[in-house]
Amino acid sequence: MPSRVLTWDELLGSAQASAVHLEMRDSYAVDVENGPFANWRAGTRLDPEDRASWWRPWHSLISDTTGRGVVVRRARIVSEPVSEYTRFLHHGTLKNIIAGEQVRWLPRRQASDIPLPGNDFWLIDNRLVRWNHFTGEGSPADGEMNEDPSTAKLCADAFEAVWSRGIPHDQYEIR
């Protein structure tokens, strides 16, 4: 197991073929009074044509990663009716897609029989897991790296099960 948590640049830079991300929370801590979520709540909507207003280093990293031929997929398990934060995520997912990610959504009720790990994760090339730990309030906590083959298999199997049932972003209707 790596002794330190890799930076996002190191993690995605190490990907040769695939990088998958499974998200399972209905909300993540955000400042509800300031920033993108607050702006969205106030009615501001993404203008795909005004790339300078929303493009961030993360989008460049994803674009660079997919530009090397790495397939980047993100799946989100969501409760329905969705939370306000999930509505915000759905609206902003266009940014991920423009950067090169493929994104699918799976209603939580359709995931009940899928063996899932206890935390959100990134899986690189079916070998390296980066756990994303969060506090109870949804704030990021320490990440953790794991290279155990059985852990990687658990994550790969869970992700593929979610992905196969997931609804492509452009077809998922917020409920």
Side-chain angles (χ1 to χ4, degrees), residues 10-20 65 68-71 122-129 152-153 156:
E10 291 170 330
L11 184 69
L12 291 171
S14 74
Q16 300 294 310
S18 67
V20 300
T65 302
R68 295 192 334 266
V70 175
V71 176
W122 277 91
L123 175 64
I124 306 300
D125 295 330
N126 289 322
R127 63 169 181 77
L128 177 62
V129 177
K153 183 177 182 342

Side-chain angles (χ1 to χ4, degrees), residues 23 25-32 34-46 54 56 59 76 78 82-96 103 105 169 172 174-175:
E23 296 178 337
R25 296 181 60 95
D26 287 317
S27 66
Y28 296 85
V30 294
D31 186 338
V32 297
N34 295 298
F37 185 53
N39 294 341
W40 179 84
R41 290 176 90 197
T44 302
R45 295 299 181 254
L46 171 68
W54 55 263
R56 301 290 180 262
H59 301 112
R76 292 182 171 130
V78 295
V82 300
S83 68
E84 182 181 32
Y85 186 81
T86 298
R87 289 179 184 280
F88 164 71
L89 278 181
H90 188 268
H91 174 75
T93 295
L94 180 60
K95 298 181 286 190
N96 301 75
V103 180
W105 302 80
H169 174 74
Y172 181 66
I174 290 290
R175 299 186 199 296

